[in-house]
Amino acid sequence: MEDIEDMFAGGAGGAPPGFRLPLNAVGVNPKRNTSKRSISKQKDEVTDSNRDSLAPPSMKIPGTQTIYIKTFGCSHNQASSANRQYWISDSEYMAGQLTAFGYGLTEVPEEADLWLINTCTVKSPSQSAMSTLITRGRSGKKPLVIAGCVPQGSRDLKELEGVSVVGVQQIDRVVEIVEETLKGHEVRLLNRKTLPALDLPKVRKNNFIEILPINVGCLGACTYCKTKHARGHLGSYTVESLVERVRTVISEGVKEIWLSSEDTGAYGRDIGVNLPILLNAIVKELPSDQSTMLRIGMTNPPFILEHLKEIAAVLRHPCVYTFLHVPVQSGSDAVLTAMNREYTSGEFRTVVDTLTELVPGMQIATDIICGFPGETDEDFSQTVGLIKDYKFAQVHISQFYPRPGTPAAKMKKVQSKIVKQRSRELTCVFEAFAPYTGMEGKEERIWITEIATDGVHLVGHTKGYIQVLVSGPESMLGTSAIARITSVGRWSVFGEVIETLASTNVVTQVREETKPACTSDVSTCETCACSAESCCGEGKSGEACNVSGDITRQDHKTGEKSMTKEEEKQEVVSHWGLVDKALVCGVFVSSLTILVLIISIASRVLLRQ
């Protein structure tokens, strides 16, 4: 059987993103699965199934059922995990398409008519948790759809027998797959020749954060990595499509844009561009009032080395977080060679030193794998030395897990007890750092986008992406504020909001669209549609001109906006409505009438005399 994508009428173009195709439209005839076949021999197909686990719960109209979506990502808890961003973004796109076609979503598995499980193959614990959930779903006779890297990279897994699967580049077909699975069919969509569209419907996990994939796959060949097996070779979205997506999400009220990729630094090498070109194009679209911030995703050292100064310039931009996730994995060159990481520990140090020197307040997170095959005590000592030298505020420490099918899985392993011991030792070293000491009393601008796990505080981030926990109403989500740091902890700092910053960017944009054409008369610059630089000159850019991106500071306690005297006059005048004018006219007429009466009476008195 050929791949479904090759069987569409009209060639490889396929259906529009999210379009639901009937079973016969994809050129596949349902048939009874009368014999057991190895999943590894099956290509993308739809088959009938008599298994109880796939029996439809009830005959409902398609699009009216309820779906439970579970996302498994990396074991990293920190938001900087590039791989976790990918899985969250994929789940958001799938949820968006399902809700667009009428399906309901639930967080209670027992209430769902079907379970959609989005999987991760980076770490063994994530895959084990996936297997447990699949077993639980089978026991509950729930129709199952397994998405993500596990089915894409390990098609012959026993756990995937009898369930529908969708690959990492087939998420725009999720509606079809869910519908057919609810009918009792087993669907397999794993092969594709094009990237999914960026404008698919989306249900964001956080309404204020857009996770934007800029490419899939990577150019590396790390000996321990399974993700490459699933996501394949590098495939980059065009600069134009990404910039258009940025414009769209900003108009939707997004306050943070996270660029996501297996390796951000490798972006564009397959289409003749590079990361600095993309970043410079994106920052031009960001509101000048800093109401929407950009966060650059994880990048490995080899490719960023070529663009350090250009990347540093972008990181200094007011609308870009001065934060970067650069995995080192080991401080030993011998281990890095065995990992096939394509850089040395010295080159990693060059990346950190250069960015720290060129970018004020630069924050760098990194990753370490403890107990890689062949790692000696001396190798591990070099890793500990590297971490001690830089005292990173964020280090993602993991133990080596052999992934089936990778070269590292065949290498001689370090004893399990030694791996655990090294992991504990490095964790103790890392947790002894106090990276935020000295921040007490400082005032920092923060961007508030989340509710803390304690359910009490709101989470904001400084420009260096340091987590600041503040108290306040949920209405502050999506805003920016000035916070005074009151105390510091190991993982975050606490602060109090002393004033909020209300963006006037949207109002100013509407006002500028209605301005008359630009003139060369500087006296009219306040109302013309030209820019400050071209109309007023550099000296008047902050005075006479009304430039997009003004920020109105609003006192957090009183909620009153500060105004100039001219603005106060305009505010008073703007409140004169029709009733006010009528009252004034009435007073004037009455006064005139009284004056006439007085004159008339005086005249009569004089005549009598």
Side-chain angles (χ1 to χ4, degrees):
M1 175 177 286
E2 298 180 52
D3 294 342
I4 286 180
E5 285 73 15
D6 296 332
M7 305 180 74
F8 281 115
F19 182 74
R20 294 186 287 182
L21 294 168
L23 193 59
N24 57 6
V26 295
V28 178
N29 295 318
K31 58 182 178 181
R32 292 287 178 183
N33 188 14
T34 56
S35 63
K36 292 185 178 180
R37 294 179 296 166
S38 170
I39 292 183
S40 61
K41 295 180 181 179
Q42 298 178 33
K43 293 188 177 180
D44 295 348
E45 60 186 82
V46 180
T47 60
D48 227 2
S49 174
N50 293 321
R51 297 181 179 86
D52 291 338
S53 62
L54 289 178
S58 61
M59 295 302 294
K60 294 184 179 180
I61 299 173
T64 63
Q65 293 90 340
T66 302
I67 312 297
Y68 167 66
I69 300 179
K70 175 63 177 178
T71 303
F72 290 103
C74 298
S75 58
H76 301 157
N77 292 322
Q78 292 86 343
S80 60
S81 169
N83 289 304
R84 181 162 180 78
Q85 291 174 26
Y86 243 126
W87 278 273
I88 291 175
S89 179
D90 286 353
S91 291
E92 289 176 347
Y93 274 123
M94 289 189 284
Q97 293 171 86
L98 290 168
T99 56
F101 282 104
Y103 288 98
L105 303 179
T106 180
E107 295 184 359
V108 182
E110 291 72 23
E111 295 179 354
D113 297 307
L114 176 143
W115 291 6
L116 172 59
I117 304 173
N118 194 14
T119 61
C120 168
T121 189
V122 174
K123 301 290 181 73
S124 288
S126 296
Q127 189 164 324
S128 298
M130 174 211 73
S131 300
T132 300
L133 188 61
I134 291 176
T135 301
R136 180 181 162 194
R138 291 183 194 275
S139 300
K141 301 189 184 310
K142 296 290 185 180
L144 300 173
V145 175
I146 313 301
C149 287
V150 170
Q152 189 75 65
S154 304
R155 306 184 184 196
D156 56 349
L157 279 180
K158 185 177 181 180
E159 293 93 327
L160 300 180
E161 292 182 0
V163 300
S164 293
V165 296
V166 53
V168 295
Q169 295 184 30
Q170 296 279 17
I171 59 174
D172 56 344
R173 305 278 299 280
V174 68
V175 174
E176 300 169 62
I177 295 163
V178 164
E179 286 191 352
E180 295 303 328
T181 303
L182 285 168
K183 294 175 184 177
H185 300 134
E186 178 186 339
V187 186
R188 300 178 60 80
L189 294 176
L190 294 171
N191 298 329
R192 190 189 181 96
K193 299 178 178 66
T194 58
L195 297 174
L198 290 171
D199 59 354
L200 295 171
K202 194 171 190 179
V203 175
R204 295 188 183 92
K205 187 178 179 68
N206 184 320
N207 290 332
F208 301 108
I209 298 175
E210 167 74 7
I211 302 175
L212 179 60
I214 62 174
N215 58 263
V216 299
C218 69
L219 294 176
C222 300
T223 56
Y224 58 84
C225 183
K226 185 75 172 178
T227 305
K228 178 72 175 279
H229 292 198
R231 294 193 177 264
H233 201 65
L234 182 68
S236 302
Y237 288 96
T238 65
V239 173
E240 293 75 17
S241 64
L242 291 167
V243 168
E244 181 58 34
R245 181 62 182 171
V246 166
R247 293 194 192 107
T248 298
V249 302
I250 290 174
S251 69
E252 293 172 351
V254 162
K255 300 303 178 184
E256 287 187 6
I257 299 172
W258 298 357
L259 301 186
S260 182
S261 166
E262 273 90 19
D263 186 358
T264 304
Y267 168 80
R269 289 173 175 264
D270 57 320
I271 57 175
V273 293
N274 57 41
L275 183 61
I277 291 174
L278 173 65
L279 295 178
N280 284 309
I282 289 177
V283 295
K284 290 179 181 178
E285 304 298 327
L286 301 177
S288 58
D289 62 358
Q290 298 174 260
S291 57
T292 300
M293 296 291 287
L294 178 70
R295 201 184 78 179
I296 303 174
M298 185 273 286
T299 179
N300 288 311
F303 300 115
I304 194 175
L305 274 166
E306 300 179 21
H307 307 293
L308 279 178
K309 290 185 178 180
E310 295 94 328
I311 298 298
V314 173
L315 289 166
R316 290 195 299 268
H317 191 281
C319 298
V320 180
Y321 285 120
T322 53
F323 169 86
L324 200 59
H325 178 195
V326 187
V328 63
Q329 306 299 7
S330 175
S332 164
D333 288 346
V335 173
L336 291 175
T337 299
M339 291 178 171
N340 196 29
R341 290 289 289 170
E342 300 180 338
Y343 59 86
T344 65
S345 60
E347 289 172 328
F348 172 79
R349 288 176 181 268
T350 298
V351 171
V352 177
D353 293 342
T354 303
L355 293 179
T356 303
E357 177 186 355
L358 298 179
V359 184
M362 185 70 202
Q363 296 285 320
I364 294 177
T366 194
D367 298 349
I368 295 292
I369 296 175
C370 290
F372 189 82
E375 182 185 65
T376 65
D377 290 340
E378 175 58 27
D379 293 328
F380 178 68
S381 177
Q382 292 175 20
T383 298
V384 173
L386 176 70
I387 300 303
K388 284 183 176 179
D389 286 345
Y390 289 101
K391 294 181 171 58
F392 298 106
Q394 293 187 38
V395 179
H396 312 143
I397 301 170
S398 62
Q399 300 174 27
F400 171 74
Y401 289 106
R403 308 302 296 129
T406 63
K410 301 176 182 178
M411 298 178 182
K412 186 177 180 180
K413 299 175 183 60
V414 177
Q415 292 183 15
S416 178
K417 65 177 182 179
I418 295 177
V419 175
K420 293 178 181 178
Q421 177 185 339
R422 290 174 180 172
S423 177
R424 286 194 296 267
E425 180 181 340
L426 187 59
T427 300
C428 288
V429 169
F430 163 61
E431 292 183 349
F433 302 154
Y436 307 129
T437 299
M439 289 188 66
E440 299 94 329
K442 289 186 176 180
E443 293 184 4
E444 298 274 356
R445 180 171 182 175
I446 62 173
W447 289 264
I448 304 171
T449 55
E450 301 174 74
I451 299 175
T453 53
D454 63 7
V456 176
H457 293 90
L458 302 179
V459 179
H461 290 94
T462 68
K463 191 175 186 297
Y465 213 70
I466 297 172
Q467 182 173 271
V468 182
L469 302 180
V470 297
S471 296
E474 289 189 21
S475 59
M476 290 181 64
L477 290 172
T479 67
S480 182
I482 301 297
R484 180 183 293 112
I485 307 304
T486 56
S487 62
V488 301
R490 174 58 186 86
W491 312 108
S492 58
V493 302
F494 290 85
E496 60 177 358
V497 174
I498 56 178
E499 58 183 343
T500 57
L501 304 176
S503 168
T504 60
N505 184 66
V506 176
V507 176
T508 306
Q509 182 178 352
V510 173
R511 182 171 65 239
E512 288 189 348
E513 288 175 355
T514 61
K515 287 179 182 179
C518 181
T519 69
S520 59
D521 184 0
V522 175
S523 65
T524 64
C525 182
E526 194 171 63
T527 58
C528 74
C530 67
S531 66
E533 291 76 12
S534 62
C535 185
C536 303
E538 295 180 2
K540 296 183 180 289
S541 62
E543 301 170 6
C545 284
N546 231 338
V547 183
S548 169
D550 292 342
I551 298 175
T552 300
R553 291 198 170 190
Q554 184 172 346
D555 187 82
H556 180 60
K557 296 179 180 179
T558 65
E560 296 178 355
K561 296 180 180 179
S562 59
M563 298 184 182
T564 64
K565 291 183 179 180
E566 185 64 24
E567 288 172 333
E568 290 175 354
K569 287 182 181 179
Q570 294 175 358
E571 183 75 5
V572 172
V573 172
S574 66
H575 290 312
W576 281 71
L578 182 61
V579 175
D580 300 300
K581 294 175 182 178
L583 288 173
V584 171
C585 291
V587 171
F588 177 78
V589 171
S590 299
S591 300
L592 186 60
T593 303
I594 292 171
L595 181 60
V596 170
L597 288 173
I598 292 172
I599 293 172
S600 176
I601 293 171
S603 298
R604 290 179 182 179
V605 170
L606 290 173
L607 289 173
R608 286 178 182 177
Q609 293 177 348

